[in-house]
Amino acid sequence: MKFQAIKGVRDILPPDSALWNRVEQAAREVFETYGYGEIRLPIFEPTELFARSIGAETDVVSKEMYTFEDRSRSAAELTQRCEEITQNPPSIRDASLFISYQRSVLALGENLKRAMASGQVPRTAENEQRLRKVLELLEAAESLGLKNLGEDVDAATFGGYLKGIAENFKSFQFGDSLTLRPEATASVVRAYIEHGLYNRPGNTKLYYMGPMFRRERPQKGRYRQFYQIGAELLGSSDHAALDAEVLEMLLAFFARVGLQGAILSINSIGDKNCRPAYVELLRAELTKVRDKLGPDSQRRIETNPLRVLDSKVPDEQAIIATLPRIADHLCAECKEHYAKLQDELALRDIAYQENWRLVRGLDYYMRTTFEITAPGLGSQDAVCGGGRYDGLVELLGGPATTKCIGFAIGTDRLVLSLQAQAASSLNASSGAVSSAIAGMSSVAASASAPAGVEVFLAWLGGATYHAAVVLARRLRGQGISVELPPVAMKFGKALNLASRLGARHAVIIGEDELASGQFTVKRLADGEQKKLSGSDLLAYLLSARKP
Ligand code: HAM
């Protein structure tokens, strides 16, 4: 049997992984200059955290989450016991069987109570209610059974009670519902509240990077396990300067990695004062044209009319163009905030487009929303999305005054775009790598560079092996990457393998080299060959690294 990665997930192999690391390193460096520190978050959280934060009606929560029940070992045993007891219910005619059934149910009830008290089984109001129901039904069955012992009268009612017991056991929640994180903002807010980060001085500025999980239809740039680099700012101020600074940092990062052709779009979607009235207006307008809309948009008229603005369905575009625009319905405060944001962006020379249809797919946003698109990605061209989410901390039980803004970059898409950019530069310069990458940032340039080893160190036999091991360790100690074959190799074969591995230099150690203390080094790009002593060799290799 041959195993393959499951649909929508993939391996990131060298040399691509080196580019990923450089991109992530650039994010760390840029974000830290803006005062952000890294937060490492769990990969899974209680399902309820995401349902509450992102919104139960969103695509992410209603269709795309990887959710599972986390049962402890004792909960698994209790589950099995429930099944065993309810599998063969006694008949009303057999008193002794009923009595042993009754004993088992009561014992199981006690065990479940204990398991809930100790936290091995979730202690929820629903579970407590189920247990109460079981005991009530058992009592009802007992009194009916005793009265009619040995007769068929009321057998159906008796059977109904036992069925009820089985159903309550079956619907019992034996484990916690957990979900692989589809995004990380909810987790950041959870951590912010859990650790009382609001007690620390100043704004809380956190960044994170890592995998997220959404069960979407896989295609280029859309995966079920994908990666984000994100940052969140939480604090007491919602000043538009903060929004602008977050955007400045984001664009500084894109500049650092050398991403070209990125376009920033912004919008304001109002707040809890002005948005509800706009949403109602939108709903009313959409209801008038309901028949002309597709099934998704029709459904969204009820669940979330704003999301209709997001629609990419070609037939709906002309209709959407005539809908009322939120900019005309913002309250004075939101209008002022949006105007200030634009002033702050102008002050920073940040170019942007306004897009009144930019509403985002997650429910927690208010006021500022933004997205960045990049070339080379086809239909999945959003490399970053974000916005302000001032109400979320309060919604999750933290201080109501907390204001927040943040973004997440899709790392997969960013890397794809950098690689597409590097490939098109190479084509434009008819394969001349050096001129193609001139002018690109080193991160972008490395998108096309093979990550071959620097030195292939061949030894020809006998005592040369020891010298090779010592030299390899010395070079690696200076940060030079060395490939050392475990067996002796003939000169020609060694050179051949070195060039197939993409090595920059081959260093050969034979008996002559050992005797003279001079190593033969060959530059594989042009065949230039030298004989150098150990320290000269090191200096030569180090100077060859400089661009
Ligand atoms: P989002 O727009 O859902 O926002 O995701 C942000 C970015 O993650 C997208 O622009 C895209 O680049 C990438 N992405 C999303 N889904 C996939 C996928 N299936 N495959 C590949 N890439 C994907 C959020 O997640 C918010 N938490 C952003 C945020 C932070 N807002 C405030 N703070």
Side-chain angles (χ1 to χ4, degrees):
M1 182 171 177
K2 236 174 156 184
F3 290 104
Q4 283 192 326
I6 56 173
K7 201 173 163 195
V9 312
R10 64 208 182 112
D11 305 300
I12 313 286
L13 304 173
D16 290 356
S17 51
L19 175 59
W20 279 70
N21 285 334
R22 279 191 281 269
V23 164
E24 289 176 350
Q25 185 53 28
R28 292 176 192 284
E29 286 167 15
V30 173
F31 295 174
E32 281 167 20
T33 63
Y34 283 80
Y36 286 71
E38 183 177 9
I39 180 167
R40 297 198 180 202
L41 296 159
I43 298 284
F44 50 84
E45 297 268 11
T47 304
E48 190 56 22
L49 172 68
F50 299 118
R52 274 236 219 135
S53 310
I54 300 170
E57 293 296 340
T58 56
D59 284 351
V60 172
V61 171
S62 66
K63 302 185 201 153
E64 298 169 358
M65 294 206 303
Y66 285 97
T67 295
F68 58 98
E69 201 183 31
D70 183 32
R71 289 184 192 193
S72 67
R73 190 191 268 225
S74 50
E77 280 161 16
L78 287 168
T79 319
Q80 206 185 339
R81 192 77 193 108
C82 287
E83 272 166 26
E84 284 163 11
I85 292 178
T86 53
Q87 240 159 28
N88 297 310
S91 99
I92 197 167
R93 295 191 190 180
D94 192 330
S96 67
L97 265 187
F98 176 73
I99 288 165
S100 87
Y101 167 84
Q102 189 183 31
R103 240 186 251 136
S104 308
V105 171
L106 287 172
L108 179 59
E110 282 307 309
N111 285 341
L112 283 170
K113 247 190 234 166
R114 267 199 298 276
M116 281 200 284
S118 68
Q120 283 166 328
V121 163
R123 187 179 186 173
T124 60
E126 290 83 3
N127 272 354
E128 283 175 349
Q129 163 74 14
R130 284 176 193 119
L131 203 52
R132 267 199 304 279
K133 198 79 203 145
V134 163
L135 297 177
E136 265 171 45
L137 290 165
L138 191 65
E139 220 169 278
E142 183 191 22
S143 57
L144 194 68
L146 290 177
K147 215 167 50 197
N148 299 293
L149 214 54
E151 293 176 32
D152 268 345
V153 190
D154 287 333
T157 319
F158 181 82
Y161 291 149
L162 301 197
K163 205 164 153 219
I165 292 174
E167 272 162 11
N168 274 288
F169 275 142
K170 221 176 272 166
S171 65
F172 214 86
Q173 194 200 335
F174 286 99
D176 295 311
S177 178
L178 302 181
T179 291
L180 297 186
R181 61 182 189 191
E183 59 107 53
T185 307
S187 302
V188 169
V189 172
R190 196 255 318 125
Y192 178 78
I193 299 169
E194 185 173 335
H195 304 290
L197 299 184
Y198 41 83
N199 291 321
R200 296 190 182 181
N203 289 325
T204 301
K205 299 181 183 182
L206 299 166
Y207 74 84
Y208 51 84
M209 46 190 72
M212 311 289 156
F213 305 85
R214 295 184 194 174
R215 200 172 192 292
E216 294 193 81
R217 199 170 46 77
Q219 64 181 95
K220 180 183 167 192
R222 188 159 74 189
Y223 310 101
R224 291 180 170 179
Q225 175 175 338
F226 61 99
Y227 294 77
Q228 285 187 342
I229 298 173
E232 316 286 350
L233 184 150
L234 306 96
S236 56
S237 166
D238 60 359
H239 199 291
L242 297 173
D243 305 40
E245 195 182 75
V246 162
L247 288 167
E248 180 192 303
M249 176 171 91
L250 188 49
L251 295 171
F253 164 67
F254 282 141
R256 174 75 67 93
V257 297
L259 181 71
Q260 289 164 8
I263 296 171
L264 166 67
S265 301
I266 63 166
N267 190 24
S268 173
I269 57 165
D271 65 7
K272 58 177 186 282
N273 297 320
C274 53
R275 194 169 41 196
Y278 171 71
V279 169
E280 279 321 307
L281 176 68
L282 200 57
R283 185 173 277 136
E285 291 302 312
L286 287 167
T287 308
K288 289 184 201 158
V289 292
R290 178 182 205 101
D291 296 346
K292 297 190 189 127
L293 299 171
D296 278 345
S297 292
Q298 286 195 357
R299 189 170 41 79
R300 285 178 172 147
I301 297 179
E302 270 80 53
T303 58
N304 188 355
L306 275 184
R307 284 304 305 285
V308 176
L309 304 182
D310 237 7
S311 160
K312 308 266 180 321
V313 177
D315 289 349
E316 295 179 351
Q317 301 309 307
I319 302 168
I320 293 171
T322 65
L323 291 171
R325 302 184 171 208
I326 189 147
D328 302 326
H329 300 271
L330 293 178
C331 60
E333 289 79 13
C334 287
K335 217 176 250 176
E336 192 191 333
H337 189 271
Y338 191 42
K340 265 204 196 125
L341 169 64
Q342 299 190 44
D343 290 346
E344 291 280 351
L345 292 176
L347 183 84
R348 290 169 170 78
D349 263 339
I350 294 176
Y352 60 89
Q353 293 178 351
E354 285 184 82
N355 176 3
W356 71 278
R357 290 176 54 179
L358 182 58
V359 292
R360 315 265 308 122
L362 316 168
D363 280 358
Y364 48 62
Y365 291 109
M366 56 165 289
R367 291 194 175 161
T368 312
T369 55
F370 56 86
E371 221 159 71
I372 295 181
T373 55
L377 291 170
S379 64
Q380 302 303 313
D381 65 349
V383 278
C384 174
R388 185 160 274 293
Y389 51 97
D390 293 345
L392 187 56
V393 171
E394 182 182 11
L395 184 72
L396 297 182
T401 49
T402 315
K403 316 284 184 196
C404 321
I405 180 155
F407 62 79
I409 295 157
T411 320
D412 307 76
R413 293 184 191 175
L414 173 57
V415 167
L416 279 174
S417 186
L418 288 171
Q419 286 170 330
Q421 184 181 311
S424 68
S425 305
L426 279 179
N427 288 341
S429 65
S430 41
V433 179
S434 55
S435 67
I437 64 180
M440 274 192 206
S441 96
S442 64
V443 179
S446 69
S448 66
V453 287
E454 292 177 81
V455 174
F456 186 90
L457 206 167
W459 50 284
L460 305 183
T464 62
Y465 181 53
H466 181 246
V469 168
V470 171
L471 180 63
R473 188 186 299 164
R474 185 168 168 205
L475 297 180
R476 286 169 177 153
Q478 296 297 315
I480 295 170
S481 70
V482 177
E483 184 67 22
L484 175 68
V487 290
M489 289 183 99
K490 295 230 164 63
F491 192 67
K493 218 173 148 193
L495 287 182
N496 185 297
L497 181 55
S499 68
R500 280 197 293 131
L501 289 178
R504 250 178 279 162
H505 296 95
V507 173
I508 312 291
I509 312 181
E511 295 295 341
D512 290 351
E513 281 85 0
L514 207 57
S516 65
Q518 300 270 310
F519 301 103
T520 303
V521 54
K522 187 173 176 122
R523 187 160 66 200
L524 293 169
D526 58 6
E528 188 194 75
Q529 196 162 312
K530 292 178 192 291
K531 278 193 181 297
L532 297 170
S533 71
S535 36
D536 288 349
L537 174 67
L538 180 59
Y540 169 78
L541 291 173
L542 287 174
S543 73
R545 309 181 100 187
K546 301 218 173 79

